[in-house]
Amino acid sequence: MNRSRIAPTVIVTLAALYFLVPLVATLEFSMRMVRGTYSLKAYQVVFADPRFQATFSFSVIAALCTIVIGALLVVPTAYWIRLKFPRLRGLVEFITLLPLVVPPIVLVFGYLRIYNSSSWLPFTATIAGTNVLLVFGYAVLSLPYMYRAVDTGMGAIDIRTLTEAAESLGASRRTILMRVILPNVRAAILSGAFLTFAIVIGEFVLASLLNRPAFGPYLQLVGANRAYEPAALAMIAFAITWACMGFLQLFGSGVPGRRLGSTILRFGKRGR
Amino acid sequence: MSFLEISGVRKSFGPTTVVHDFDLSAEKGEFISFLGPSGCGKTTMLRMIAGFETPSQGTIRIDGEDVTHVQPNARRIGMVFQAYALFPNLTIADNVAFGLKVAGRPKAEIATRVEEMLALIKLPHLASRYPYQLSGGQQQRVALARAIAVKPRVLLLDEPLSALDAKIRVSLREEIRSLQRELGITTIFVTHDQEEALSMSDRIVVMSEGRIDQIGNPFEIYNKPRTRFVAGFVGTLSVLEAVATGGTGVRIGEEAIVLSGAPAVQPGTSLSLALRPEAVSLHPSPERINRLAGRIVDVAFLGSVVRMRIATAGGTVLVDSFNDPATPPPQRDTAVTLHFTAAGIYPLEGAGDAPVAAAAA
């Protein structure tokens, strides 16, 4: 081997071990529920647990609602900022990054102070209200990812000229947003959506402190009381996250003008 | 009354005024070019007609209707951009259909019109392709079809040929012009390319620093430039320094030159004279009454034309002569005599970019 390549190889190997050893160990442990042999018993137990199904579907629905709210909030904002107030872009970007700096625990205590059952806007007085508050909180947590994805997507197409072209053809602002801007940043919205999905599925703090039956608190509960099942759950969570990353890669490479279908086709051809 | 009427339009961004007192009336079906260097306000004026900018002062009327403060989507204008601006997510046919769909036309009518438009730009076979699959020239033709599909009252072209390569630029400009004639659509064409403006327009508006320097047909603009700027910007030009000697006479160095009219200066004062390269010949003839001695500095063989730079007492003069297969081009450093008519040389007035710089371009 070339001498200059020894050091990089060692570093890459060490880094790979650092990531892979715990993963492989967890996988190995998760399959040892039946003594003396490898089996998928722990996974069967997890999938058979009605609480797994209930909490997982709760979180999936919450994630989908978050994605819709996030997209409705972020797409028009990013469009308007780029078109009319380009000077404010730095400020808005900073604001959208705040959820990375302010811990979720601070956010949720703030919510509980402002929206508790004796406040002027008692979100937490009802279960539905608390669910809504939870989804709003998730939308805030996903803001940094959603905004950056969409804003970058808009940077890749000439928003201003496309808007003017559509305007000169008689289109209203709403038509332009729905028929011109949205379809062209669809890939960007999707990559933001997958990140949002991954965040919401594993989120613990908001769901736990608002006392909602989400997947995160369930993971914690099982982890505190069982031996093999948490390992199986961890592997399942990894699989979900990786699937999201995979989709992100798939749609993130979409060039404007190529429909999603053709992106998949292209990907399929490359895979073969 | 004229079809498109722009009166007293001024546009300021903060303390800087980019368009001053713009007045223009265009007849229906006229092809008018706004010609000028970048930053002269031509694009801003076009964008005010489109409605993307609002004039600080003045009015814009289309077909008698005051549209100064009408939203761009209610003006019924068609616009073609330098960067094509086709919608990347739509097929070529859907791009052309966009304006008609927005207007809520019946499906059958849209289909017929799109077919008609694609036939007009000779791209019917590309209807189901996407913009990224087309060449620049094809995309710009689609953009043109999209703009005229909605039968706009005015067609605005914002440097539509600038992003294309030379051959396509020439063929597309002929295509645009013949389409425009065929449809009889009033058109404003913004360009910094004097050749495009001269070859396509009914009238040219030459602009510099936000002001109109001259409005006229290509023949007038080229042959009777009103200001020094126009003379320098449109076409190639040599400038000679001379001294007035009274009447129509001037002196360049020691040689007496006769102009077709008396210059508006006192005898004894110096003045600048303009000379087009094609107005000068190295061969005498009865009507070329003026003579000027010089020495060839440089010879460039351009194919059909041989361009010479000749040093004279008044400055460097560019001379074009047609290629003659029987005679090789003259050698450098040869002494020659320039012959030109009295009408071929004229005094320049007013300030402007140094025409010598433009002549070198």
Side-chain angles (χ1 to χ4, degrees), chain A residues 164-185:
Chain A
E164 287 177 354
E167 246 180 334
S168 72
L169 291 166
S172 65
R173 289 274 175 198
R174 222 178 72 93
T175 312
I176 295 171
L177 202 56
M178 296 308 291
R179 290 212 209 156
V180 177
I181 304 302
L182 212 55
N184 284 308
V185 293

Side-chain angles (χ1 to χ4, degrees), chain A residues 122-177:
Chain A
F123 267 116
T124 58
T126 59
I127 287 178
T130 315
N131 285 343
V132 169
L133 192 61
L134 181 70
V135 168
F136 283 175
Y138 284 162
V140 170
L141 291 187
S142 67
L143 207 53
Y145 310 98
M146 200 58 156
Y147 188 84
R148 306 214 122 214
V150 170
D151 191 54
T152 312
M154 288 197 182
I157 55 171
D158 190 347
I159 290 284
R160 179 176 295 273
T161 315
L162 287 182
T163 300
E164 287 177 354
E167 246 180 334
S168 72
L169 291 166
S172 65
R173 289 274 175 198
R174 222 178 72 93
T175 312
I176 295 171
L177 202 56

